[in-house]
Amino acid sequence: MATITTHDGTDIFYKDWGTGQPIVFSHGWPLSSDDWDTQMLYFLAHGYRVIAHDRRGHGRSTQTPGGHDLDHYADDLAALVEHLDLHDAIHVGHSTGGGEVVRFLARHGEQRAAKATLISAVPPLMVQTDSNPEGLPKGVFDDLQAQLAANRSEFYRALPAGPFYNFDKPGVESSEAIIENWWRQGMMGDALSHYDGIVAFSQTDFTEDLKKITIPTLVMHSVDDQIVPYVASGPKSAELLVNGTLKTYGDNFPHGMPTTHADVINADLLAFLEA
């Protein structure tokens, strides 16, 4: 099992397949690198080197009681990039992973990066504030923490069975296998990391980070996303980016569209990378 050890002693698990230009995938909360299986196999077959890691407290990485903030997440990603000596890398982040990519590029620079993609990502800011009225009220995230603390297993069953994949919407066919795989990944991590992670992904303001990014960046977001509202995220991020492109989806494309609509997302991402 491949791991690196960060400066604070956290072991970060990662997968590294193939050769060619590297694509580094950053997963969403509370999942793991396994959430990228379909993308990794697809881009491996198209001649790319594909890399994905488990965030601290998630998957097979250390269940550490501290460091559950975007600075640590970004520093862990930077440690992986440096360890593998990656250059001309493409960074792809889903949901919280999109925030991780943004903070990494702003905090550590773009010298080793070529392009980036943010899919259903949390930037610029999820929580509602006076300057961000389109965000979700803080009470929404307090409730997520309360559900996690009360019964994490039940919570991690209900979320993918409902709004994460839009399986709660009329006309959307549910998939028991997808729900169980989400639950499996979530339960691999630890409750404290995930509890603190809710604050990290919901209250971190990425506005200034986005302004610092100059590499071509594709923002992929659905108007039917029930987890990260479109009006508070995708269009705002694309506007703040120096070289951002917004790709909007509808037709019940959910927050977890890289899983449910992998054929479309993979093809659109490949077109962006090869443009």
Side-chain angles (χ1 to χ4, degrees):
M1 190 168 80
T3 62
I4 62 165
T5 302
T6 66
H7 70 279
D8 65 354
T10 301
D11 292 331
I12 301 295
F13 167 85
Y14 69 93
K15 306 173 186 180
D16 182 2
W17 305 340
T19 59
Q21 186 177 14
I23 306 177
V24 184
F25 295 93
S26 293
H27 65 78
W29 175 96
L31 304 173
S32 74
S33 56
D34 292 354
D35 204 43
W36 291 113
D37 282 351
T38 303
Q39 282 70 41
M40 291 184 72
L41 291 170
Y42 177 87
F43 286 98
L44 178 67
H46 281 80
Y48 289 89
R49 177 183 178 185
V50 291
I51 300 157
H53 65 291
D54 292 355
R55 187 170 299 116
R56 60 171 58 211
H58 297 63
R60 289 138 292 202
S61 292
T62 300
Q63 296 187 1
T64 173
H68 302 293
D69 56 75
L70 267 297
D71 285 351
H72 277 86
Y73 295 166
D75 292 350
D76 292 346
L77 176 55
L80 178 63
V81 168
E82 292 172 8
H83 173 76
L84 298 177
D85 193 26
L86 302 181
H87 297 274
D88 199 32
I90 299 153
H91 287 273
V92 180
H94 174 247
S95 194
T96 300
E100 179 177 287
V101 168
V102 168
R103 180 56 56 88
F104 160 75
L105 291 171
R107 184 173 170 88
H108 294 277
E110 304 172 321
Q111 301 89 338
R112 294 172 176 263
K115 290 184 177 182
T117 301
L118 311 178
I119 306 176
S120 310
V122 298
L125 175 62
M126 280 198 73
V127 73
Q128 187 180 76
T129 64
D130 290 342
S131 60
N132 186 45
E134 298 86 1
L136 295 172
K138 183 176 178 295
V140 171
F141 304 107
D142 293 341
D143 182 59
L144 294 180
Q145 287 186 307
Q147 291 185 67
L148 188 154
N151 192 318
R152 187 165 68 118
S153 182
E154 287 189 356
F155 177 43
Y156 284 6
R157 173 76 185 187
L159 196 57
F164 198 93
Y165 294 114
N166 285 357
F167 289 157
D168 58 343
K169 298 187 73 172
V172 177
E173 183 177 355
S174 180
S175 167
E176 188 65 24
I178 289 176
I179 295 167
E180 290 183 358
N181 190 43
W182 199 103
W183 180 91
R184 175 191 68 85
Q185 291 180 72
M187 295 303 292
M188 287 171 67
D190 74 275
L192 178 59
S193 300
H194 296 172
Y195 186 90
D196 290 346
I198 292 172
V199 175
F201 75 66
S202 65
Q203 297 186 31
T204 301
D205 190 340
F206 299 94
T207 301
E208 296 306 315
D209 300 283
L210 288 162
K211 294 176 182 178
K212 295 177 183 177
I213 298 172
T214 63
I215 58 174
T217 302
L218 177 64
V219 179
M220 309 169 83
H221 216 110
S222 172
V223 295
D224 293 326
D225 189 326
Q226 295 190 74
I227 304 297
V228 180
Y230 177 84
V231 294
S233 51
K236 288 188 173 184
S237 289
E239 186 175 348
L240 288 165
L241 289 160
V242 173
N243 197 1
T245 301
L246 177 64
K247 177 73 175 180
T248 298
Y249 300 86
D251 299 324
N252 270 331
F253 274 54
H255 183 67
M257 62 186 182
T259 297
T260 58
H261 295 77
D263 54 341
V264 176
I265 299 304
N266 291 351
D268 288 349
L269 180 53
L270 180 64
F272 169 69
L273 300 189
E274 296 188 343

